[in-house]
Amino acid sequence: MSSDSTKEKIVQAAQRIFVRKGMDGARMQEIADEAGINKAMLHYYFHSKDQLFREVFYGILSRLIPGLINIFKGNEPFEDKIEAIVYEYDAYMSKNPILPQFVIREINRDPEQLAGFMTDQGLDFLQIEEMVDQEVKNGKIRPITFPHLFANLIGMIVMPYIGRPLFQRKLFNNDSEKYDQYLLERRTVITQFVKQALLVK
Amino acid sequence: MSSDSTKEKIVQAAQRIFVRKGMDGARMQEIADEAGINKAMLHYYFHSKDQLFREVFYGILSRLIPGLINIFKGNEPFEDKIEAIVYEYDAYMSKNPILPQFVIREINRDPEQLAGFMTDQGLDFLQIEEMVDQEVKNGKIRPITFPHLFANLIGMIVMPYIGRPLFQRKLFNNDSEKYDQYLLERRTVITQFVKQALLVK
DNA sequence: GTCTATATGCAGATAGAC
DNA sequence: GTCTATCTGCATATAGAC
């Protein structure tokens, strides 16, 4: 149907523009141009810019979360889960480099809704918390609580994407290819780092 | 002089408002109200909102950087430096919780200027890079390059501040006091985590 | 459903009196 | 230096013809 395809074109275009410019920097006109349609059509399909943004944002997010949940629910040993999480998350971000910015914006704009969305998606932190506690109790990893482990992991994964424009300049002479290489390295580096910090020999 | 004190009042007010709402969320009117003066005065002392923001932002930043540099330049063993960095940085952020958001915004708005500012302040990453390489070469710490160590450290420190509205909800039942407690804990947790990951026994 | 043209509203910036 | 009043521009949003 032609209506569906127009809506789809809009979403695709909005994704690209939002990814390139972020929510604030993006202009509805730009998105319309990118989609090859008229600005008014955006409002026909999505009442407001904010709604369009959220549609795109939660679309991207909802394609990430199930993978993470599956990893948590698996029966692999803890260290393998860590590795899988890092790889899954990082690979997804390399395809959607603006995702952290999206999340940060949404965290501050409407944390209630974001939290609710995660719950709806089946992301249950309490469950994971217990899992981590168990690992500690069983002497598999050094004592740490989930909130700390979580902040450590996400922080390490996300930081080079958030900081890229600065880091690339200050640390890699603004060499974009070297930075991409660096990003790839981080998967193993982070995994190693966490294992060394947590695994009891 | 009354002119100086007005300018100072503006900066103070802007700091509070920017900290509370971020650059985009802040309104010039709000800042004027907070300062108890007229909106036009803002433009008298600072030509534009952007300039005011940068004045505040770089003001806050310039009070952080010297402390960090001093730590790097000291002769303490590596692990003590890590600990000192974490404490210094984190303590500063607990007083300026919006700082990470400021930095993120500026990183994306004008990374060139930010990079230049850091250089002006005497923050030389190359120098630190060599220091880390030396520690590795001397077998004091496990192999890691500075860019990786840097991203790991900053990421872990900064993440709970960036993610607070979400983390507090999902991990601490929205209990603000518990979250403050958690933030305090992180200083020792991060230090421990990094030491365990890097120090060779 | 799709377009052109226009309205709305806001926030930053300026003019100009005192 | 400080104010009131006003302008400007832009970006979102809508009206209405086809």
Side-chain angles (χ1 to χ4, degrees):
Chain A
M1 221 160 272
S2 114
S3 73
D4 265 338
S5 110
T6 297
K7 191 171 182 180
E8 191 47 36
K9 266 196 290 183
I10 293 176
V11 171
Q12 297 290 334
Q15 226 164 74
R16 284 193 294 274
I17 298 295
F18 280 138
V19 161
R20 217 176 291 150
K21 311 250 179 139
M23 159 74 178
D24 294 322
R27 299 295 140 212
M28 293 296 264
Q29 185 60 59
E30 260 182 306
I31 295 173
D33 293 348
E34 177 86 11
I37 51 124
N38 192 278
K39 204 175 51 161
M41 293 308 294
L42 300 180
H43 290 93
Y44 178 78
Y45 285 105
F46 307 88
H47 278 170
S48 68
K49 180 186 183 183
D50 225 69
Q51 193 192 316
L52 174 56
F53 174 81
R54 266 179 265 179
E55 210 110 346
V56 169
F57 169 71
Y58 285 108
I60 294 181
L61 202 58
S62 67
R63 285 191 292 280
L64 167 65
I65 293 180
L68 295 183
I69 293 180
N70 275 339
I71 295 171
F72 276 122
K73 293 216 169 134
N75 287 319
E76 296 76 17
F78 187 75
E79 57 202 279
D80 292 350
K81 283 189 184 177
I82 294 281
E83 181 158 356
I85 297 273
V86 172
Y87 274 71
E88 176 90 6
Y89 201 124
D90 192 76
Y92 196 73
M93 277 204 314
S94 72
K95 274 179 280 174
N96 304 279
I98 204 79
L99 183 61
Q101 309 257 27
F102 277 20
V103 176
I104 291 170
R105 187 198 134 82
E106 203 58 13
I107 280 179
N108 289 284
R109 209 192 52 79
D110 194 344
E112 199 64 62
Q113 176 170 1
L114 180 54
F117 177 78
M118 288 177 161
T119 307
D120 294 347
Q121 292 274 310
L123 199 55
D124 181 5
F125 281 178
L126 264 175
Q127 206 176 329
I128 305 172
E129 203 153 358
E130 281 169 23
M131 202 186 77
V132 173
D133 290 348
Q134 267 306 322
E135 297 286 331
V136 172
K137 208 167 275 175
N138 296 343
K140 294 279 178 60
I141 59 173
R142 294 208 181 88
I144 193 167
T145 64
F146 174 64
H148 285 295
L149 177 57
F150 182 69
N152 287 0
L153 252 187
I154 304 294
M156 288 192 284
I157 296 174
V158 148
M159 184 48 63
Y161 290 92
I162 296 177
R164 175 160 196 165
L166 181 70
F167 290 9
Q168 190 173 296
R169 266 183 188 71
K170 294 287 282 185
L171 298 169
F172 295 92
N173 289 315
N174 216 8
D175 183 328
S176 179
E177 283 171 27
K178 276 200 189 136
Y179 203 83
D180 287 332
Q181 181 57 35
Y182 164 71
L183 286 178
L184 271 179
E185 285 167 22
R186 284 199 62 69
R187 299 181 190 178
T188 48
V189 170
I190 294 174
T191 309
Q192 272 301 100
F193 199 84
V194 175
K195 282 186 186 173
Q196 284 163 357
L198 288 188
L199 291 187
V200 181
K201 294 287 146 52
Chain B
M1 219 162 272
S2 113
S3 75
D4 264 339
S5 112
T6 297
K7 190 171 183 179
E8 190 48 35
K9 265 194 291 182
I10 293 175
V11 171
Q12 298 289 336
Q15 228 165 73
R16 284 193 294 273
I17 298 295
F18 279 138
V19 161
R20 217 174 293 151
K21 310 249 180 141
M23 159 72 180
D24 295 321
R27 300 295 141 212
M28 293 296 264
Q29 186 59 59
E30 258 181 309
I31 295 173
D33 293 348
E34 177 87 11
I37 52 127
N38 193 279
K39 201 173 55 158
M41 293 307 295
L42 299 180
H43 290 93
Y44 178 78
Y45 284 105
F46 307 89
H47 279 168
S48 67
K49 181 187 183 182
D50 225 69
Q51 193 192 316
L52 174 56
F53 175 80
R54 265 179 265 179
E55 209 110 348
V56 169
F57 169 70
Y58 284 109
I60 294 181
L61 201 58
S62 67
R63 287 192 291 280
L64 167 65
I65 293 180
L68 296 182
I69 293 180
N70 275 340
I71 295 171
F72 277 122
K73 293 217 168 130
N75 287 320
E76 296 76 17
F78 186 75
E79 55 201 278
D80 293 350
K81 283 189 184 176
I82 294 282
E83 180 158 356
I85 298 272
V86 172
Y87 274 71
E88 176 89 7
Y89 201 123
D90 191 76
Y92 196 73
M93 278 204 314
S94 72
K95 272 178 280 171
N96 303 278
I98 204 80
L99 184 60
Q101 309 258 27
F102 276 20
V103 176
I104 290 171
R105 187 200 133 82
E106 203 60 11
I107 281 180
N108 289 284
R109 212 193 51 80
D110 193 345
E112 200 63 63
Q113 178 171 358
L114 180 55
F117 176 79
M118 288 177 160
T119 308
D120 294 348
Q121 292 273 311
L123 197 56
D124 182 4
F125 280 178
L126 265 175
Q127 208 175 328
I128 305 172
E129 202 153 359
E130 282 168 22
M131 203 185 78
V132 173
D133 290 348
Q134 268 305 321
E135 297 286 332
V136 172
K137 209 167 276 172
N138 295 343
K140 295 279 178 58
I141 57 174
R142 294 208 180 87
I144 193 168
T145 63
F146 174 64
H148 285 296
L149 177 56
F150 182 69
N152 287 1
L153 251 187
I154 304 294
M156 287 192 285
I157 296 174
V158 149
M159 183 48 62
Y161 290 92
I162 297 176
R164 175 159 196 166
L166 181 69
F167 290 10
Q168 190 174 296
R169 265 182 189 73
K170 293 288 282 187
L171 298 169
F172 295 93
N173 289 316
N174 217 8
D175 184 328
S176 180
E177 283 170 28
K178 275 201 188 137
Y179 203 83
D180 287 333
Q181 181 57 33
Y182 165 70
L183 286 177
L184 271 178
E185 285 168 22
R186 285 199 62 70
R187 299 181 190 177
T188 48
V189 170
I190 294 174
T191 309
Q192 273 300 99
F193 199 84
V194 175
K195 283 187 185 173
Q196 284 163 356
L198 289 187
L199 290 187
V200 182
K201 292 290 146 52

